[in-house]
């Protein structure tokens, strides 16, 4: 493998039963860095993470207070196993929740603080989502709009909001994922009405995501307020390798800046296709690895038409293929 590699860490929605358990078993014969991460995560969260991930109950794994620590563990486990195999990143970025694994790998926060923060972040976001669901009697969430440009999606939302129609103020462009995909956040009623709006305008698909709330939108303001005291407890250092922000799409140069962006990230959109992708692609790297469960980020990378390859690196089998 080349030395010029960027790690990309997936976010909420990438979770699956059994993720990272093969890394746990294979990490230096079951007694390596991945085992230490599982032990650490279990102690900090109060959840037996190995038992949780072996449980086929996918509904429980969708809850933010459960999924956020679990996905972060899977992401950090992939990075640790890659390091055991001699692969270290020359830079990294994380998608939404995945940014916390990137913060740890880039040296801004400790792994212990990383698990503490995602535990508290998950609790705050789940509580905010539960409050909205109680008001509506059905779950808020997110959906991917496929086949419309981000500009078209934002224009349609703006036009709908300007109409003053009921529920029109409860939908937001939350993840600018690729030229072909934008994720929207909203209440249950707003999402149902928005699906009709986008499909009428030519969207090919409107896919509900496996998440528990309307993330990266002003609907999460309450979660941001609850999370702030926990964030303030953690020391952020300057990055040891290049790190890129979801909020700005630009490189982060200091711990102070990263801390402010971690706060803003809860209520602001993920700008994955803005400068973030362009800058990563221009840094002379040879490839990217999706270090965590699933292949969502590989698909988004392909949509950018970049010539740089992006490979899966979330399982032992995926990582073995890198050496063929």
């Amino acid at each position: 493998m080349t030395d010029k590699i960027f790690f990309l860490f997936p976010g909420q929605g990438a979770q699956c039963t059994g993720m990272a358990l093969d890394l746990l078993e294979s990490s230096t014969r079951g007694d390596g860095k991945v085992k230490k991460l599982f032990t650490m995560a279990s102690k900090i969260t109060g959840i037996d993470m190995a038992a949780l991930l072996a449980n086929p109950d996918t509904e429980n794994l969708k809850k933010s207070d459960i999924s956020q620590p679990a996905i972060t563990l899977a992401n950090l486990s992939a990075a640790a196993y890659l390091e055991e195999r001699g692969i270290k990143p020359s830079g990294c970025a994380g998608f939404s929740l995945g940014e916390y694994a990137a913060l740890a790998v880039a040296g801004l926060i400790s792994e212990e603080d990383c698990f503490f923060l995602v535990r508290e972040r998950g609790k705050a976001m789940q509580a905010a989502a539960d409050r909205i669901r109680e008001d509506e009697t059905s779950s808020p969430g997110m959906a991917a709009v496929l086949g419309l440009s981000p500009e078209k999606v934002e224009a349609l939302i703006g036009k709908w909001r300007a109409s003053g129609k009921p529920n029109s103020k409860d939908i937001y462009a939350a993840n600018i994922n690729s030229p072909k995909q934008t994720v929207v956040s909203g209440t249950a009623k707003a999402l149902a009405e928005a699906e009709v709006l986008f499909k009428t305008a030519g969207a090919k698909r409107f896919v509900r995501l496996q998440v528990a709330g309307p993330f990266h939108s002003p609907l999460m303001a309450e979660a941001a307020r609850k999370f702030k005291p926990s964030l303030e407890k953690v020391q952020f250092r300057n990055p040891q390798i290049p790190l890129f922000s979801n909020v700005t799409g630009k490189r982060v140069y200091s711990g102070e800046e990263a801390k402010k962006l971690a706060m803003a990230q809860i209520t602001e959109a993920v700008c994955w296709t803005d400068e973030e992708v362009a800058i990563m692609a221009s840094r002379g790297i040879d490839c990217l690895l999706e270090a965590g469960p699933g292949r969502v980020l590989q698909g988004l990378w392909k949509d950018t038409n970049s010539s740089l390859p992006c490979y899966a690196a979330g399982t032992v089998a995926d990582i073995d293929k890198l050496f063929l």
Side-chain angles (χ1 to χ4, degrees), residues 133-165:
R133 184 175 66 245
E134 287 174 4
D135 292 344
E136 280 211 310
T137 70
S138 53
S139 296
M142 304 176 79
V145 182
L146 307 180
L148 295 178
S149 70
E151 295 79 11
K152 180 66 172 178
V153 170
E154 290 179 325
L156 287 167
I157 290 174
K159 184 177 180 180
W160 188 30
R161 187 168 290 131
S163 73
K165 293 181 179 179

Side-chain angles (χ1 to χ4, degrees), residues 9-11 75 93-104 109 243-247 252 258 261-262 265 272 276:
F9 296 102
N75 288 347
F95 187 93
S96 185
L97 169 69
E99 198 161 76
Y100 282 82
L103 288 169
I109 59 176
L243 170 77
F244 293 85
S245 164
N246 283 182
V247 176
V252 177
L261 291 170
Q265 193 216 52
W272 195 249
E276 186 163 2

Side-chain angles (χ1 to χ4, degrees), residues 10-31:
Q12 208 163 341
Q15 70 271 7
C16 61
T17 297
M19 63 182 179
L21 292 179
D22 60 332
L23 300 171
L24 174 62
E25 181 179 353
S26 300
S27 176
T28 58
R29 299 181 180 179
D31 196 31

Side-chain angles (χ1 to χ4, degrees), residues 16 53 68 71 84 86 126-127 190 192 201 210-211 218 224 319:
C16 61
L53 294 174
Q68 293 201 17
I71 294 165
E84 287 182 0
Q126 186 63 50
Q210 297 300 304
V211 296
I319 294 167

Side-chain angles (χ1 to χ4, degrees), residues 41-239:
S42 297
K43 181 179 179 180
I44 292 171
T45 62
I47 301 169
D48 183 333
M49 298 303 287
L52 169 71
L53 294 174
N55 191 321
D57 182 2
T58 56
E59 285 302 309
N60 188 46
L61 201 54
K62 285 197 303 185
K63 298 176 181 177
S64 294
D65 53 339
I66 302 295
S67 65
Q68 293 201 17
I71 294 165
T72 301
L73 173 59
N75 288 347
L76 291 177
S77 295
Y81 188 75
L82 284 163
E83 184 175 355
E84 287 182 0
R85 299 291 299 272
I87 301 175
K88 294 184 178 181
S90 56
C92 57
F95 187 93
S96 185
L97 169 69
E99 198 161 76
Y100 282 82
L103 288 169
V105 170
L108 286 89
I109 59 176
S110 68
E111 289 162 343
E112 291 89 345
D113 284 339
C114 182
F115 285 121
F116 165 73
L117 287 175
V118 297
R119 181 193 72 186
E120 297 305 306
R121 183 179 185 268
K123 287 179 179 178
M125 293 172 74
Q126 186 63 50
D130 288 344
R131 180 191 57 77
I132 296 171
R133 184 175 66 245
E134 287 174 4
D135 292 344
E136 280 211 310
T137 70
S138 53
S139 296
M142 304 176 79
V145 182
L146 307 180
L148 295 178
S149 70
E151 295 79 11
K152 180 66 172 178
V153 170
E154 290 179 325
L156 287 167
I157 290 174
K159 184 177 180 180
W160 188 30
R161 187 168 290 131
S163 73
K165 293 181 179 179
N167 306 310
S168 63
K169 293 183 179 180
D170 292 329
I171 193 80
Y172 300 89
N175 298 352
I176 315 302
N177 286 350
S178 80
K180 301 176 183 178
Q181 183 187 128
T182 301
V183 170
V184 295
S185 282
T187 61
K189 291 177 181 178
L191 286 171
E193 293 178 21
E195 180 171 5
V196 177
L197 174 73
F198 292 129
K199 286 184 175 180
T200 300
K204 294 179 180 179
R205 297 179 67 195
F206 187 85
V207 182
R208 299 294 182 99
L209 303 187
Q210 297 300 304
V211 296
F215 305 144
H216 301 293
S217 78
L219 294 170
M220 285 286 106
E222 177 184 320
R225 288 192 295 272
K226 288 185 176 181
F227 178 59
K228 186 175 181 179
S230 298
L231 185 65
E232 292 300 327
K233 292 179 182 178
V234 173
Q235 178 186 359
F236 278 59
R237 299 175 291 274
N238 294 338

